[in-house]
Amino acid sequence: MKTIPTLSTCTPLNDSELADLRDQFPILSRSTASGAPLAFLDNAASTQRPVCVIDAMSDCYQQYYANVHRGIHTLSEESTEAYEQSRKVIASFINAASEREVIFTSGATASINLVARTWGDQNLREGDVILTTIAEHHANIVPWHQLCERTGCRVEFLPLKKDFTFDDETVHQKLRELRPKLFAFTAVSNVLGTITPVKKWVHWARELGITTLVDASQAAPHQPLDVEQLDTDFLVFGGHKMCGPTGIGVLHGKENYLDSMPPFLGGGGMINRVSVDGFETADLPDKFEAGTPPIAEAIGLAAAAKFLRQIGLDRIAAHEKQLAQVADEGLRLIEGIEVIGPSMSHKSGIVSFSIDRVHAHDIAQELDHLGLAVRAGHHCTMPLHRHLKKSSTTRASFYLYNRLEEAHRFLEAVQQVQKKFTPSGRKRSSRPQD
Amino acid sequence: MSNEQDIYEEHVLDHYEDPYHRGELDKATHSHEADNPLCGDVVHIDLKIDSEDKIQEAWFSGDGCVISQASASMLIETVEGKSLDEVRNFTAEQMLGLFGPKLTPNRQKCCLLSWRVLQSAIHSPVDDLPPDDDGGPDVHFGGPSLGEES
């Protein structure tokens, strides 16, 4: 993974640029149920879409939509051209060697399941090991548990250090000791924000002949990705966390891997020919895209990728990091509040925290009342929360359209919430009759 | 600017900070516990039910959000002296009414946790094995659960 540049190495988003940028997200000007102006800090769950993404999908439906591939008519040819052009845009977005390595799926979860059900079933046997980290999203745990149930292999988890980062030495040692068949890990933790050293870990795995899968769901929207440089065997991400539509995700796989794997879903589109006796699988990437694909979604995702590129992924990373730093460092100064994550030098724009003796859902509810959208719960990381001995946490996650003012508003609101729920000698009485 | 009711009204916060009968009951005749696994709220209820099928004494313990704990306190305060029939006839809608502020479907689950536990507790004598089903009456409110998210 490239190091996230500091503000000194790229031009920050200036105020007028940020104002123009926010204008492209009409949803940001609404208010919450309480009437407070919205500060949207739930971007690690899903981001908002700019008008150019909505327009790209709307244009598709209004002007040239038809099913792709094999349609011998104008609309189908135009749709096919736009769909395959989108694949080229995504291939370039992650610097894939070829667009045959880019498979459109319904999301990052579907991408991981595809690998588990094809490569996993083909290559894992009883006693084999899958190595992952304790900080994974359920999407990068459950498909492996399911694979264990089918094959008798097992999953091992890398622990976190006290500072919420991973010990490189332990990682290297576990790779040598356990000789896992697969090393599946997140590029950025969706709770801690911890950035893992993808390039280094993949390199170690490569030297030992271990296959790698990287969950880039929290990385693709926020920093430049180069799969050639990272050398991952599989890398996955979804569309809706990077200003794109829901219902679409990407599986990048090295061509030799994808070629050697059996197809996943069977149906139209993934075959060259079918007879009463059997079928012949289509070439990449069609082999893994059975059924009518998410056409307008792919077109929307390409528009999102172009939009992010135009602003500059480096600059987006620097911008959100600047805001997260204000929130992170501010929270650390407040007594009774614990930041669940490493220091800013090791993390992205995600700031999770807990307040002593206040439940995360009460925090989120009250922040919503004050206009701030955050997420509370276990964030699809139950093993991580158990590891941290927390039932739930509250998470603020920043993106390119957030303003410095919102980070300050967040800090003030958290203190208001803390005060509201701090015991103050209240006495219960019967409910006042009205 | 707002017509939103404050969920955390004074009465709710009072019950949260100064709950009624929070603790364990030594000589409980009936008892039950359940949780909302996705948000981690837990409520345990102990009851002393007399020979005339009346709830003589009720206590609760647990852990969780303001809504789950304050509503449990309100319920326990209400239920003492009531007959088992009255408890059985006390509906989920009445429980939400007892709590007061209007809740979104996701937060209704927090409020109804203690109600579910109570409905199971009256069928759970302490000497017996707990029933397999921890759910009480199979009533579903609202949309997807809180907590299971990206």
Side-chain angles (χ1 to χ4, degrees):
Chain A
M1 187 100 355
K2 284 181 185 171
T3 316
I4 290 186
T6 57
L7 288 174
S8 57
T9 60
C10 63
T11 333
L13 298 175
N14 62 44
D15 285 351
S16 74
E17 199 179 356
L18 189 56
D20 288 346
L21 205 149
R22 286 178 63 87
D23 283 345
Q24 297 177 57
F25 293 83
I27 202 169
L28 297 178
S29 59
R30 66 161 287 174
S31 46
T32 61
S34 66
L38 169 71
F40 190 77
L41 304 180
D42 190 21
N43 296 291
S46 201
T47 59
Q48 301 298 343
R49 280 125 209 86
V51 170
C52 65
V53 169
I54 299 166
D55 283 351
M57 297 178 73
S58 174
D59 286 350
C60 166
Y61 284 130
Q62 293 194 49
Q63 292 171 25
Y64 60 89
Y65 175 82
N67 210 338
V68 292
H69 304 315
R70 292 172 303 280
I72 316 294
H73 61 78
T74 307
L75 300 193
S76 178
E77 274 159 11
E78 287 183 18
S79 279
T80 304
E81 167 66 20
Y83 180 67
E84 290 306 330
Q85 190 56 40
S86 300
R87 198 189 305 279
K88 287 190 183 130
V89 170
I90 297 305
S92 146
F93 183 69
I94 56 174
N95 194 33
S98 133
E99 59 258 31
R100 286 189 303 279
E101 296 188 336
V102 174
I103 313 293
F104 285 131
T105 65
S106 67
T109 299
S111 298
I112 297 176
N113 276 275
L114 189 160
V115 174
R117 292 265 173 186
T118 57
W119 180 87
D121 280 346
Q122 193 179 39
N123 291 281
L124 275 285
R125 297 282 172 272
E126 190 168 355
D128 284 345
V129 173
I130 295 164
L131 184 63
T132 186
T133 83
I134 194 67
E136 299 304 315
H137 189 281
H138 292 166
N140 201 19
I141 297 176
V142 182
W144 310 125
H145 280 327
Q146 291 176 300
L147 181 59
C148 292
E149 286 178 4
R150 293 196 298 278
T151 65
C153 66
R154 68 177 209 274
V155 188
E156 294 279 342
F157 293 87
L158 290 164
L160 275 169
K161 287 194 294 181
K162 281 211 166 61
D163 66 358
F164 304 99
T165 64
F166 294 95
D167 179 38
D168 270 347
E169 206 28 62
T170 308
V171 175
H172 204 178
Q173 184 197 340
K174 289 283 176 195
L175 285 169
R176 284 187 314 246
E177 251 176 44
L178 296 167
R179 291 291 167 135
K181 278 274 168 66
L182 174 70
F183 184 21
F185 63 94
T186 188
V188 177
S189 155
N190 72 316
V191 176
L192 311 169
T194 305
I195 298 170
T196 57
V198 176
K199 194 177 173 187
K200 180 162 50 178
W201 287 6
V202 169
H203 176 69
W204 288 342
R206 168 88 48 233
E207 286 181 328
L208 297 164
I210 298 161
T211 299
T212 52
L213 180 145
V214 169
D215 177 0
S217 300
Q218 300 290 348
H222 308 281
Q223 58 198 75
L225 276 183
D226 181 334
V227 290
E228 282 293 289
Q229 195 207 20
L230 295 173
D231 200 27
T232 46
D233 296 319
F234 299 107
L235 180 136
V236 309
F237 56 95
H240 68 97
K241 292 189 203 289
M242 53 176 279
C243 297
T246 55
I248 187 155
V250 172
L251 165 64
H252 172 266
K254 279 195 191 295
E255 199 165 339
N256 59 328
Y257 269 88
L258 296 175
D259 266 335
S260 71
M261 285 149 56
F264 178 38
L265 298 176
M270 51 70 74
I271 42 83
N272 279 335
R273 71 185 83 229
V274 181
S275 71
V276 290
D277 299 317
F279 68 95
E280 182 186 303
T281 307
D283 295 333
L284 291 174
D286 299 351
K287 173 180 171 181
F288 292 106
E289 294 184 3
T292 296
I295 302 165
E297 287 78 6
I299 289 161
L301 179 60
K306 282 192 218 165
F307 170 79
L308 295 178
R309 265 212 161 159
Q310 203 170 8
I311 299 163
L313 271 299
D314 284 344
R315 302 178 70 213
I316 292 172
H319 174 71
E320 57 195 34
K321 209 163 164 153
Q322 183 192 22
L323 307 195
Q325 184 152 8
V326 169
D328 181 278
E329 291 174 358
L331 287 181
R332 286 180 201 271
L333 294 175
I334 306 170
E335 201 178 326
I337 290 186
E338 185 188 356
V339 174
I340 317 292
S343 64
M344 282 314 300
S345 53
H346 293 99
K347 77 174 177 185
S348 67
I350 290 173
V351 182
S352 291
F353 66 100
S354 59
I355 305 180
D356 250 6
R357 293 192 295 168
V358 184
H359 194 282
H361 288 158
D362 293 323
I363 300 172
Q365 184 95 55
E366 196 54 21
L367 285 177
D368 176 64
H369 187 70
L370 299 169
L372 296 110
V374 299
R375 191 139 294 242
H378 55 61
H379 318 290
C380 283
T381 58
M382 280 182 165
L384 172 65
H385 277 73
R386 182 166 285 246
H387 186 67
L388 299 172
K389 300 186 173 64
K390 299 257 171 212
S391 69
S392 53
T393 51
T394 307
R395 175 183 71 193
S397 47
F398 295 88
Y399 205 23
L400 73 168
Y401 38 63
N402 290 121
R403 293 176 292 191
L404 190 58
E405 172 262 326
E406 290 173 322
H408 288 297
R409 223 178 115 195
F410 164 75
L411 279 177
E412 274 170 37
V414 168
Q415 287 174 86
Q416 246 176 289
V417 170
Q418 184 185 31
K419 194 163 170 241
K420 175 153 190 161
F421 294 115
T422 298
S424 55
R426 290 170 172 281
K427 288 291 166 212
R428 170 176 38 83
S429 59
S430 326
R431 178 183 295 277
Q433 299 297 315
D434 32 26
Chain B
M1 74 176 194
S2 165
N3 52 7
E4 188 195 52
Q5 195 180 2
D6 186 7
I7 290 172
Y8 303 106
E9 60 174 29
E10 295 300 312
H11 181 64
V12 172
L13 290 176
D14 290 350
H15 266 274
Y16 181 66
E17 194 179 329
D18 179 27
Y20 178 79
H21 276 194
R22 187 181 183 90
E24 314 261 316
L25 181 54
D26 273 349
K27 289 172 183 160
T29 60
H30 291 68
S31 160
H32 191 65
E33 178 174 314
D35 64 353
N36 280 333
L38 290 179
C39 47
D41 295 342
V42 186
V43 168
H44 177 97
I45 291 179
D46 287 335
L47 303 172
K48 191 186 280 178
I49 299 176
D50 65 19
S51 54
E52 290 167 5
D53 275 358
K54 266 206 163 110
I55 297 184
Q56 238 180 38
E57 214 175 332
W59 287 74
F60 84 102
S61 56
D63 193 18
C65 67
V66 168
I67 295 168
S68 71
Q69 303 303 303
S71 60
S73 167
M74 294 177 196
L75 177 65
I76 293 297
E77 188 183 39
T78 306
V79 81
E80 283 192 341
K82 294 272 193 307
S83 73
L84 293 192
D85 277 343
E86 285 174 302
V87 171
R88 281 189 204 103
N89 291 330
F90 185 70
T91 64
E93 284 77 8
Q94 287 172 306
M95 177 70 213
L96 295 171
L98 173 70
F99 178 75
K102 197 172 179 307
L103 296 170
T104 56
N106 267 330
R107 302 308 305 270
Q108 288 179 6
K109 286 182 182 155
C110 310
C111 178
L112 291 173
L113 175 60
S114 54
W115 175 82
R116 282 199 295 132
V117 173
L118 177 68
Q119 296 295 343
S120 291
I122 58 173
H123 299 294
S124 309
V126 286
D127 292 328
D128 288 8
L129 290 170
D132 289 341
D133 164 19
D134 74 347
D138 193 16
V139 179
H140 294 285
F141 277 81
S145 297
L146 274 172
E148 181 65 10
E149 75 299 290
S150 314

